[in-house]
Amino acid sequence: MDASFRRFSDESSLQWSHEVEKSDSCTKHDAKEWYYMMKNEEIGKAMTIKLEFPNGLPKPKPFQEGIRRAPDRGFRLTPAQTEIALKNALRYIPEEYHEELIPEFLEELTTRGRIYGYRFRPEGRIYGKPIDEYKGKCNEGKAFQVMIDNNLDFEVALYPYELVTYGETGSVCHDWMQYLLIKRYLEEITPDQTLVMESGHPLGLFHSKPEAPRVIITNGLMIGEYDNQHDWEIAEEMGVANYGQMTAGGWMYIGPQGIVHGTFNTILNAGRMKLGIPEDGDLGGKLFVTSGLGGMSGAQGKAAEIANCTAIVAEVDASRIKTRLDQGWISGVSDSLPEVIAMAQKSMAEKKGKSFAYHGNIVDLLEYIVDHNIHVDLVSDQTSCHNAYNGGYCPQGLTFEERTKMLAEDPAKFRELVDKTLHAHFEALKKITARGVYFFDYGNSFMKAVFDSGVKEISKNGVDDKDGFIWPSYVEDIMGPQLFDYGYGPFRWVCLSGKPEDLHKTDMAAMSCIDVNRRYQDRDNYNWIRDAEKNKLVVGTQARILYQDEVGRVNIALKFNELVRNGEIGPVMMGRDHHDVSGTDSPFRETSNIKDGSNVMADMAVQCFAGNAARGMSLCALHNGGGVGIGKAINGGFGLVLDGSHRVDEIIRSSLSWDVISGVARRSWARNEHAMETAVEFNKTRHGIGQITLPYLTDEKQIKDAVAKVYPKAHVIKD
């Protein structure tokens, strides 16, 4: 008998091992089986919070017709890795059920590319119920359950059966066993404990204190050498990685409403910068052409209509178009290019904000626009190009169904067609932009995907991607200088009571905190919140988003907490998208307007996350890759439960301020003009409380002349 087999955790087990050695009737194999059984019995007894099935395993369930399913992700594992993947999934389940589950899990893994544990999905509808309907020993534990279930609502989630909330692969957690166990932990967590989450796995409850975070989440934090899509995919298949996106795995998604506000701000400011729209004007009579109606990108049509803009949005998946039609977020649909163009031109002539879905490929639409010299004002893209080769981008010439089939059966051919289509997409955009049309990448990694497909021409320097691309990211030109550098970002909240009247009261309270005369951004945001109810933006929980700066966020949060304290509304979950001033380091999106070389560093996101944890946010999250793909970004997010306490008032004052100003400080250090203005104002108003280090500026000509003299003589090492 080997030495490791003899190592037992207690005296009874050790005594039993000696008895086995003496027995002639027991083989080594039998003994090992008995050992594992005994160990599992002890393991089960050592946990009070675990998955239990007193009535046996839940029965396999049928899938409801009409609900989108994630495509087969492909099977890539070696036999040894497959064994580990299987053992990893079974870690959550008592041994007596392993024999029944092994073939089922293997079938899921080899035919779907993941072990989802479908049979463990709870019966009935999953949605964000009022907080009082959840079990729990503290408000935070119940609040997080509301948020998790909202992420998996059929009306909210992109692929709810596969736990994907949005962005093609952005998941709440890896599988349904994890979901069940997370819910159990959240039912038991107390104000003196913290739940630690690692890539979807609930590591356990640990003693802390009421001022500490109740939950700390990390997702997909790969070691540098393995921080790439291929190695992440292997880890995901093995059940040890999870792609949290930004707010899917951070439990703070509020439906596509969030990105509606961001898209609204972007196209409105693009109109001001590029089309001469006055600050108090709208986009009446202008045409916006883009693509993608699923997940986050479903927002584009609605955002255009709110900005009084005409939009054509290409989408290959008919089910996503139907969702937006049923919501009233688009005004019409056609699979005929002449027809959809005519519909748009009629809307433009009437200066009525309407959006239309083109059921087809964006490249076909752009090529038609080029060939027929159709007038366009703004062009963008919101397909999931951060995951271009795994279903996020559909090759030209394939239907959505053909795309799904090829993805599973011939991924190499699929990749080849994706690359070919990206090249065609690039060529069409070159022709359109040559006519003076403004194109911007909406942070979906489109330009990076084009570059990775072999089109070096899209790079500014023609060699690599470190200097950016020939067209701007929407953050680089618009969101960064006009919003992020001032501290404005996607502040959001959820009324945990589930009552629309609570949401109405918070809308009114937020409006009362906005000074419309301070900046045009404040007037935009005031108008947004004023019209939010009329625009019917709620999908899922009673939630709202409102772009605000540091001062605005603190004042509004304090006002909300006061309303809770006075019994005027129920508790509120507050948070933000990770797509914000300080929460994300992403050179192709959030930090694309950082020009001091630090755009490739992840210090800001990590510091933001750590600072929020230190200051007592209810939930702190740190993810790899959100929005642009694995290895291309680090995202830090938070959630704060407003329970009306004075303790939370203090967290609001310290943490909400830090959450914004830490990013302003980094942007200021990069010499961003508006961030420096904001930092100077901060130093003036917070004298004796805090200070931001400001950069001394240089004379551009002096620097250029000095470098020009030295560079020809310098010995430059070429990699």
Side-chain angles (χ1 to χ4, degrees):
M1 211 170 272
D2 61 75
S4 61
F5 177 48
R6 291 195 188 98
R7 284 192 211 106
F8 295 95
S9 60
D10 60 27
E11 291 182 5
S12 61
S13 299
L14 200 58
Q15 178 61 39
W16 175 82
S17 72
H18 294 316
E19 294 300 318
V20 168
E21 287 183 328
K22 295 175 188 175
S23 173
D24 295 330
S25 61
C26 184
T27 66
K28 282 186 183 179
H29 179 73
D30 293 335
K32 203 158 191 173
E33 284 192 348
W34 180 245
Y35 160 69
Y36 282 120
M37 186 175 74
M38 287 294 293
K39 289 297 288 182
N40 278 329
E41 187 177 319
E42 292 166 14
I43 288 164
K45 289 177 180 176
M47 296 185 291
T48 55
I49 303 171
K50 56 190 174 184
L51 299 187
E52 296 179 276
F53 308 100
N55 301 316
L57 289 177
K59 301 298 180 189
K61 304 175 186 69
F63 298 101
Q64 186 176 317
E65 290 293 323
I67 303 299
R68 283 184 298 272
R69 299 289 309 286
D72 172 10
R73 302 299 188 185
F75 178 63
R76 301 163 178 80
L77 303 184
T78 65
Q81 289 170 335
T82 304
E83 290 176 11
I84 294 172
L86 192 57
K87 290 192 289 186
N88 287 348
L90 293 169
R91 286 187 286 195
Y92 295 103
I93 311 294
E95 186 186 13
E96 60 195 280
Y97 304 114
H98 288 186
E99 186 174 355
E100 180 178 353
L101 289 172
I102 285 171
E104 185 175 311
F105 282 179
L106 278 173
E107 194 271 339
E108 288 180 10
L109 182 59
T110 55
T111 63
R112 307 293 302 178
R114 304 281 189 274
I115 297 175
Y116 293 112
Y118 287 121
R119 74 157 71 207
F120 295 99
R121 182 185 182 275
E123 298 277 2
R125 180 189 171 202
I126 296 175
Y127 67 102
K129 298 185 287 292
I131 188 171
D132 291 340
E133 294 185 24
Y134 289 91
K135 298 177 185 174
K137 296 179 179 178
C138 65
N139 277 330
E140 292 92 339
K142 293 190 284 186
F144 300 148
Q145 293 181 68
V146 176
M147 303 306 298
I148 290 171
D149 284 353
N150 181 67
N151 278 11
L152 296 170
D153 188 336
F154 282 171
E155 294 182 7
V156 173
L158 179 61
Y159 303 130
Y161 284 115
E162 288 76 32
L163 300 108
V164 174
T165 303
Y166 68 92
E168 196 60 33
T169 51
S171 304
V172 172
C173 53
H174 182 272
D175 52 66
W176 288 104
M177 297 81 76
Q178 289 181 349
Y179 168 87
L180 292 179
L181 190 55
I182 292 165
K183 293 293 288 288
R184 284 284 299 113
Y185 272 114
L186 293 175
E187 289 172 356
E188 297 296 331
I189 192 169
T190 72
D192 295 305
Q193 295 173 317
T194 295
L195 172 64
V196 176
M197 296 288 308
E198 295 182 352
S199 278
H201 168 63
L203 190 70
L205 290 179
F206 299 89
H207 181 68
S208 57
K209 56 185 179 180
E211 294 77 19
R214 294 284 71 75
V215 176
I216 294 179
I217 298 173
T218 54
N219 275 302
L221 299 183
M222 310 290 291
I223 296 297
E225 184 170 350
Y226 304 99
D227 197 5
N228 58 75
Q229 185 67 31
H230 172 75
D231 285 311
W232 170 84
E233 182 62 50
I234 298 297
E236 175 82 350
E237 286 186 47
M238 293 175 71
V240 295
N242 184 61
Y243 192 72
Q245 257 288 358
M246 305 184 86
T247 52
W251 309 344
M252 201 54 223
Y253 191 60
I254 61 167
Q257 177 186 174
I259 202 66
V260 173
H261 199 356
T263 308
F264 164 79
N265 272 326
T266 301
I267 60 175
L268 191 58
N269 280 294
R272 289 165 175 160
M273 293 169 57
K274 304 297 180 179
L275 307 176
I277 304 299
E279 286 188 357
D280 60 350
D282 59 35
L283 294 174
K286 306 300 182 183
L287 179 59
F288 174 46
V289 173
T290 183
S291 60
L293 281 173
M296 291 194 304
S297 54
Q300 297 180 100
K302 185 67 174 178
E305 292 192 356
I306 294 172
N308 201 34
C309 185
T310 299
I312 302 174
V313 189
E315 173 57 65
V316 293
D317 183 354
S319 73
R320 302 184 194 193
I321 294 174
K322 184 178 183 303
T323 296
R324 304 309 171 199
L325 272 173
D326 292 346
Q327 285 175 340
W329 282 25
I330 54 175
S331 299
V333 59
S334 176
D335 58 5
S336 161
L337 284 165
E339 184 179 33
V340 79
I341 294 292
M343 292 158 70
Q345 289 175 335
K346 183 175 184 293
S347 169
M348 291 165 68
E350 296 171 348
K351 293 192 173 182
K352 289 182 179 178
K354 287 188 177 181
S355 57
F356 305 97
Y358 166 58
H359 183 211
N361 196 290
I362 179 62
V363 183
D364 292 335
L365 173 59
L366 294 175
E367 290 177 343
Y368 185 90
I369 287 168
V370 170
D371 294 343
H372 294 81
N373 201 27
I374 306 295
H375 173 78
V376 176
D377 296 285
L378 300 170
V379 181
S380 188
D381 185 88
Q382 267 192 44
T383 50
S384 296
C385 282
H386 65 276
N387 198 32
Y389 303 113
N390 204 11
Y393 187 81
C394 184
Q396 192 177 16
L398 295 185
T399 65
F400 183 71
E401 292 71 26
E402 290 167 341
R403 156 267 196 192
T404 304
K405 187 170 185 263
M406 183 179 286
L407 188 60
E409 296 178 357
D410 195 350
K413 180 66 174 178
F414 183 82
R415 187 181 186 98
E416 180 187 323
L417 293 180
V418 165
D419 286 345
K420 184 180 177 183
T421 305
L422 285 167
H423 291 200
H425 200 153
F426 172 72
E427 291 298 326
L429 285 172
K430 264 198 341 182
K431 293 172 183 174
I432 289 173
T433 54
R435 299 174 181 176
V437 178
Y438 181 62
F439 168 81
F440 57 93
D441 185 328
Y442 201 87
N444 61 337
S445 218
F446 166 72
M447 289 192 293
K448 175 62 170 159
V450 171
F451 178 82
D452 290 344
S453 74
V455 182
K456 304 305 179 189
E457 186 185 347
I458 201 170
S459 157
K460 274 185 183 176
N461 59 29
V463 177
D464 57 35
D465 53 27
K466 290 183 180 175
D467 294 331
F469 302 109
I470 61 174
W471 299 309
S473 154
Y474 75 119
V475 172
E476 190 173 5
D477 258 19
I478 304 168
M479 296 286 277
Q482 299 303 315
L483 293 165
F484 290 173
D485 286 353
Y486 287 107
Y488 292 98
F491 182 59
R492 54 179 61 184
W493 63 91
V494 175
C495 294
L496 295 165
S497 67
K499 296 176 180 177
E501 54 265 37
D502 278 12
L503 185 60
H504 177 78
K505 289 175 184 176
T506 58
D507 285 348
M508 296 300 104
M511 286 172 63
S512 74
C513 296
I514 300 173
D515 178 2
V516 297
N517 298 313
R518 187 175 64 141
R519 297 191 187 110
Y520 79 81
Q521 294 95 332
D522 296 296
R523 185 175 62 252
D524 287 350
N525 293 329
Y526 181 90
N527 293 341
W528 167 270
I529 200 74
R530 179 196 65 198
D531 298 337
E533 197 169 313
K534 178 183 72 176
N535 286 323
K536 299 179 179 176
L537 295 167
V538 171
V539 180
T541 52
Q542 295 295 313
R544 188 71 75 222
I545 183 170
L546 173 63
Y547 271 58
Q548 282 291 289
D549 66 350
E550 179 233 359
V551 172
R553 298 188 207 198
V554 170
N555 289 341
I556 291 170
L558 287 170
K559 185 73 172 177
F560 288 180
N561 203 42
E562 184 182 6
L563 292 177
V564 177
R565 186 158 50 242
N566 295 340
E568 296 179 56
I569 60 173
V572 173
M573 178 81 169
M574 185 154 285
R576 57 162 168 78
D577 195 337
H578 298 8
H579 160 70
D580 200 2
V581 180
S582 58
T584 298
D585 285 301
S586 179
F588 306 116
R589 192 163 78 175
E590 284 82 357
T591 47
S592 58
N593 71 320
I594 299 290
K595 305 294 187 181
D596 69 344
S598 68
N599 60 325
V600 300
M601 307 303 291
D603 295 304
M604 179 177 69
V606 176
Q607 287 284 1
C608 183
F609 162 83
N612 281 336
R615 289 167 177 82
M617 289 291 199
S618 306
L619 178 151
C620 299
L622 192 68
H623 303 163
N624 181 1
V628 291
I630 287 294
K632 299 181 180 70
I634 295 292
N635 298 279
F638 79 86
L640 177 62
V641 178
L642 309 186
D643 60 7
S645 68
H646 293 288
R647 173 184 67 85
V648 168
D649 280 348
E650 291 308 308
I651 295 172
I652 289 169
R653 291 187 180 99
S654 64
S655 217
L656 276 188
S657 175
W658 157 260
D659 188 70
V660 177
I661 292 299
S662 61
V664 171
R666 187 269 185 92
R667 293 169 184 277
S668 170
W669 191 241
R671 296 180 290 272
N672 290 12
E673 180 183 353
H674 297 316
M676 289 182 67
E677 292 171 17
T678 308
V680 167
E681 183 64 22
F682 177 88
N683 285 358
K684 286 179 181 177
T685 58
R686 313 302 164 88
H687 182 69
I689 299 172
Q691 179 186 288
I692 294 169
T693 307
L694 289 157
Y696 292 106
L697 302 178
T698 53
D699 182 295
E700 290 295 307
K701 186 176 182 304
Q702 186 182 33
I703 295 293
K704 286 183 181 295
D705 289 349
V707 172
K709 288 177 183 176
V710 170
Y711 197 82
K713 307 172 190 174
H715 176 64
V716 181
I717 297 172
K718 305 280 187 182
D719 291 331

